[in-house]
Amino acid sequence: MNIDALHYRTGEPVRVTVEDGEIAAIEALGIRELPLEEREGLPIVAPGLVDLQINGYGGYDFNHPALSAAVVKEAVRAVWKEGVTGFYPTVITGAPYTILGAMRAIARACEEDEASAATIKGIHLEGPFLSPEDGPRGAHALEHIRPPDTALFDQWQAAAGGRISIVTLSPEWEGSAEFIRHCVRQGVTVSIGHTSADAAQIAGAVAAGARLSTHLGNGAHAMLPRHPNYLWTQLAEEALWCTLIADGFHLPDEVLKVAMKVKGRQALLVSDAVALAGLAPGSYDTPVGGRVVLTPAGRLHLAGEPGLLAGSAQMLLRHIARLSAAGLASLPDAWDMASVQPAGFMALPAAAGLAAGAPADLALIRRTGTGAAGLALTALCQAGCWVYRRE
C-alpha cells in the first residue's frame, strides 16, 4: 500500500510504502511526479497519537461501576476517530472492588479483541493513593483515598493481567518510597500527581524511581506559597518528565510556556478526557462531579459554579491545534508531544515515528483553520490497516 501525503514535519510531498503492518519506505516525491494541483490536495501524514491518560470518551466511561469488556471495545473504536492509535485507559480513585472490576473488564477486552489489544498499550491507575487534601485531591472521592498498599496493587495488577503500566500517586504518604520501588521492579512507571508533598518527599520519590508528573499544574491547591512549593520542585527535578493538559482551559499559556521551556522534549501532552468528550454541548449528570455543563467552546464545568472545571472534554487534536495557534509550539513539535514523545517515554515501537521499520500507525490530517479547532482527521491507519476514514 502506498500513501501520498505531505510530511508533517517538512511539509514536503512523500510516498509512504506500507508492508506487513510496518513502514517499508518513505520516499520524496519530485515535482515531475506530483503536479502542483495534486500536491495542494494532499493530506498531511503524521504518526498516530499516543495518549497516556483517557478516562473515557463519547459516553464510554472507564470508571463506570458496571464497566464491561463490550464497552471497552466500543471505546477503543471510538477514539480512532480522534487520531489515537495507542492509549492508556485511566482508572481513577474508587472502591477497591470497583477498581478490580474495571481492571478485569479492560483485560477481558484485550484478551477477546485484537483491536483492543493493539490500541490499549497499558492501563493508567490514577489513585487511590493520592493526597487527601482539598485542592490536590481534585474530584477524587475522599472516602476512597488511602495510603499506598502493595498487596492491593498486586491484586489489581493480577486482575489486569499485568497491564497496569502507569501509577499516579502522592509521595506524601509514609511508605511511598517502598511502594514506588515495588512498582518499578515490575516495570511500572510511577508518576507524581494530586499531591501536597514537600520537596524532600518528592526527592525521595524520584530517588525510588518516580519518572513523571501527572498533568502538572492541575490537581493542586488554588493558593500556594510562592516558594517553595511542589510545582517548582517537580519542574526542577531533571529526572521527572511531565504531562500537560493544553486544552486552553486547564492551564494558562504562560504556565504551558514555562513548563515546555524547562522540560523540553520531556514535556508530553495528555487529554485527560472524561466520558463527555466527543458529546454535544449541554448539561449532564455524572457519577463524579454531579451536574456538569459542557459549553459550545468545549469547556466542562460544574453546574452553578462556572469557575470550577469538571474535567477535560477535549481530545489531543484540540490540544495540538491550540498550542500551534497560540504560538507556543510549531505544529510538528506539538504533534510530537502527543505521539512519538509519549511513545518513546513508554518504550513503545511507535517512538520511531515516520521511519522505515516503524509500525504503520499513521494519521492523515488537514488544516481547517488557524484556531484551536484547526485540525481535522481524515483517516487513520493502525498497523497497516485503515481503521477510520472520514465520511
Side-chain angles (χ1 to χ4, degrees):
M1 176 173 68
N2 292 326
I3 303 169
D4 291 346
L6 303 178
H7 195 290
Y8 80 111
R9 291 212 65 92
T10 67
E12 294 301 314
V14 295
R15 174 163 293 161
V16 182
T17 301
V18 175
E19 296 177 358
D20 299 324
E22 293 184 350
I23 299 174
I26 299 181
E27 301 173 314
L29 291 177
I31 297 299
R32 292 181 181 177
E33 298 170 88
L34 200 66
L36 179 60
E37 62 272 15
E38 291 186 25
R39 173 175 174 164
E40 291 178 344
L42 290 177
I44 299 169
V45 61
L49 299 175
V50 176
D51 199 332
L52 304 184
Q53 191 169 5
I54 297 181
N55 307 280
Y57 174 76
Y60 303 111
D61 189 352
F62 297 125
N63 292 281
H64 192 283
L67 180 67
S68 66
V71 167
V72 175
K73 296 172 190 176
E74 292 174 5
V76 163
R77 286 155 176 81
V79 301
W80 284 341
K81 69 179 182 180
E82 296 287 349
V84 176
T85 51
F87 78 102
Y88 293 73
T90 301
V91 178
I92 68 167
T93 301
Y97 62 85
T98 301
I99 295 176
L100 187 71
M103 296 300 172
R104 286 173 174 163
I106 296 169
R108 192 176 308 116
C110 292
E111 291 162 0
E112 296 174 354
D113 179 41
E114 289 184 6
S116 295
T119 308
I120 294 174
K121 304 301 183 182
I123 299 172
H124 184 162
L125 175 63
E126 186 187 12
F129 316 127
L130 308 177
S131 176
E133 293 189 21
D134 290 345
R137 192 180 71 254
H140 292 253
L142 178 59
E143 64 183 302
H144 298 306
I145 296 291
R146 58 194 302 152
D149 185 325
T150 56
L152 193 55
F153 171 79
D154 288 346
Q155 182 183 8
W156 292 333
Q157 183 69 294
R163 291 179 178 83
I164 300 177
S165 303
I166 306 171
V167 174
T168 292
L169 58 73
S170 173
E172 66 198 74
W173 294 99
E174 184 178 351
S176 292
E178 180 49 44
F179 179 84
I180 292 169
R181 286 190 287 268
H182 178 79
C183 291
V184 170
R185 284 193 292 268
Q186 298 184 33
V188 176
T189 295
V190 176
S191 187
I192 297 170
H194 289 280
T195 187
S196 61
D198 60 31
Q201 291 167 331
I202 292 172
V206 172
R211 301 175 53 225
L212 184 66
S213 295
T214 293
H215 51 53
L216 188 64
N218 295 113
H221 293 95
M223 299 291 289
L224 283 171
R226 58 180 178 175
H227 49 69
N229 64 57
Y230 45 77
L231 300 182
W232 286 116
T233 301
Q234 289 178 83
L235 280 171
E237 282 284 358
E238 295 184 7
L240 288 178
W241 295 51
C242 75
T243 63
L244 301 167
I245 305 173
D247 61 355
F249 308 120
H250 278 74
L251 293 173
D253 285 357
E254 58 267 28
V255 175
L256 288 167
K257 186 174 183 178
V258 168
M260 290 163 60
K261 278 184 174 292
V262 171
K263 293 299 184 180
R265 289 188 64 82
Q266 290 180 305
L268 312 173
L269 293 181
V270 290
S271 68
D272 197 17
V274 299
L276 297 182
L279 298 187
S283 297
Y284 295 89
D285 289 312
T286 63
V288 178
R291 191 74 171 171
V292 299
V293 175
L294 178 59
T295 71
R299 187 176 187 273
L300 186 66
H301 65 79
L302 296 180
E305 296 185 79
L308 295 180
L309 292 175
S312 169
Q314 300 299 323
M315 299 294 279
L316 285 176
L317 285 172
R318 160 80 178 231
H319 300 229
I320 293 166
R322 177 149 199 309
L323 281 184
S324 177
L328 296 174
S330 66
L331 176 60
D333 287 347
W335 194 278
D336 282 353
M337 290 175 67
S339 58
V340 296
Q341 286 168 219
F345 177 74
M346 296 304 296
L348 302 177
L354 293 188
D361 293 347
L362 307 170
L364 299 185
I365 57 174
R366 293 188 184 276
R367 293 181 183 271
T368 58
T370 57
L375 291 176
L377 183 77
T378 61
L380 189 70
C381 180
Q382 184 187 63
C385 297
W386 295 110
V387 295
Y388 172 77
R389 287 183 183 272
R390 190 174 185 181
E391 297 178 359

